[in-house]
Amino acid sequence: MKKLVLKLFVGFIVIPAALVGTLYYLNENGFFNIEKVQVVLESPTPGQEQFLKPNVDSLENVLMKYKGVSLWGIKLRSVSKEVRKQEWIENLQISRVWPATLAIRVKPYEVKFLYMARGGKLTPIIKDGQFLAPIEAKQAPDVAILDGEAFGKKQELRKKAITVIEQIPAQGSFSRKTISEVRYDNKEGFWMTLIKTGTQVKIGEDQVALKAARVSRVVDYLETKQFDARVIDADLSKKVLVRLRKDP
């Protein structure tokens, strides 16, 4: 019986106390001091690397002040609150990676469009038509530009533009990758400019996915025949109207 009590005493008191004492000793001697701050992007959108890299670099610089702080005693809630001030971050997860790494997993907002304000500054637009802080041209992600002062004044119009562009395929002859600019007309709806040819595509506002598929087939046909289109009007009920460069 005495042996059982002794074993229980050692198992439940002596060993945990020794472990706590060891951890305390290591902590007091800097073993758990943060040596590395690791920022990892979660599922970044292709083509937005040049926008994200400066933001990640800036975040890492902000977090450098935690280097040398004990990982054991750092308050993750306080770090999270500070990181959330970065407006380009949609969601995040912070964790301790023992013995000396602070890991921040960040989900960035996807930039849907850019808006060019007066002075040439480019303003990223994220979901719900919200603006982020203006950026330099070298930081611009690979997305289309919204052209027109109305986009700068009306968030609802920017949201509508996002709804339209997301119905267009990400890849293909007529896709988000082939569009350089988007304009809006109160009577005719949305117009888009193709990067490669400068062709103006009238897409309207409804049945965008169907119209995009028709435009893609027309673009393929024009390239095959080596025709140079000035305007592609897809905002018709059952057909697509093409005006060539030589047309009046």
Side-chain angles (χ1 to χ4, degrees):
M1 184 67 177
K2 291 181 179 179
K3 290 183 178 180
L4 177 61
V5 171
L6 181 60
K7 288 181 179 179
L8 291 174
F9 178 77
V10 171
F12 286 98
I13 296 185
V14 176
I15 293 177
L19 179 60
V20 170
T22 300
L23 292 176
Y24 177 80
Y25 174 81
L26 291 173
N27 187 56
E28 287 296 303
N29 285 272
F31 183 76
F32 297 114
N33 287 358
I34 296 172
E35 297 178 358
K36 182 179 179 181
V37 178
Q38 185 180 53
V39 178
V40 178
L41 292 178
E42 179 183 339
S43 304
T45 303
Q48 307 214 354
E49 296 83 3
Q50 60 269 38
F51 167 72
L52 293 172
K53 187 180 185 307
N55 285 298
V56 171
D57 291 344
S58 176
L59 176 59
E60 288 179 340
N61 288 334
V62 168
L63 297 174
M64 281 301 104
K65 65 183 179 182
Y66 293 108
K67 291 191 72 173
V69 176
S70 170
L71 190 64
W72 189 266
I74 195 169
K75 296 180 180 180
L76 298 187
R77 182 174 295 182
S78 297
V79 180
S80 176
K81 186 177 180 180
E82 185 167 16
V83 174
R84 289 185 187 280
K85 294 178 182 178
Q86 303 280 323
E87 61 176 8
W88 60 277
I89 294 175
E90 182 175 8
N91 204 354
L92 64 95
Q93 182 179 7
I94 300 178
S95 59
R96 300 178 178 92
V97 180
W98 303 101
T101 299
L102 180 64
I104 298 95
R105 191 172 186 85
V106 171
K107 180 182 179 182
Y109 280 110
E110 179 184 354
V111 177
K112 304 292 187 178
F113 285 109
L114 293 169
Y115 175 71
M116 184 174 289
R118 291 181 179 179
K121 283 285 188 179
L122 294 170
T123 305
I125 299 169
I126 58 175
K127 68 178 186 178
D128 295 329
Q130 299 176 67
F131 281 138
L132 297 183
I135 59 175
E136 300 294 335
K138 63 183 179 180
Q139 294 177 248
D142 186 17
V143 295
I145 293 175
L146 292 183
D147 182 20
E149 291 186 3
F151 288 116
K153 298 175 181 178
K154 300 177 181 178
Q155 183 176 349
E156 285 301 315
L157 185 58
R158 299 194 296 271
K159 288 176 63 176
K160 187 183 291 186
I162 292 172
T163 299
V164 168
I165 202 72
E166 288 185 339
Q167 295 178 64
I168 295 173
Q171 303 290 337
S173 301
F174 179 69
S175 62
R176 280 171 257 167
K177 292 293 184 183
T178 66
I179 297 168
S180 62
E181 293 182 354
V182 176
R183 294 179 291 108
Y184 182 77
D185 182 275
N186 288 329
K187 294 181 179 180
E188 299 179 324
F190 288 95
W191 285 79
M192 302 181 179
T193 304
L194 299 185
I195 297 173
K196 187 176 179 180
T197 61
T199 303
Q200 303 295 307
V201 179
K202 182 182 175 184
I203 205 77
E205 297 184 36
D206 57 359
Q207 295 185 307
V208 175
L210 175 61
K211 294 173 185 176
R214 290 174 180 169
V215 172
S216 187
R217 290 194 293 270
V218 168
V219 170
D220 285 338
Y221 176 81
L222 293 172
E223 287 188 354
T224 300
K225 299 298 182 180
Q226 296 185 331
F227 289 147
D228 190 6
R230 178 168 52 89
V231 174
I232 298 175
D233 186 351
D235 195 23
L236 300 170
S237 59
K238 294 183 179 180
K239 61 181 180 179
V240 176
L241 177 65
V242 178
R243 297 189 180 93
L244 300 178
R245 296 285 178 187
K246 297 179 182 180
D247 291 348

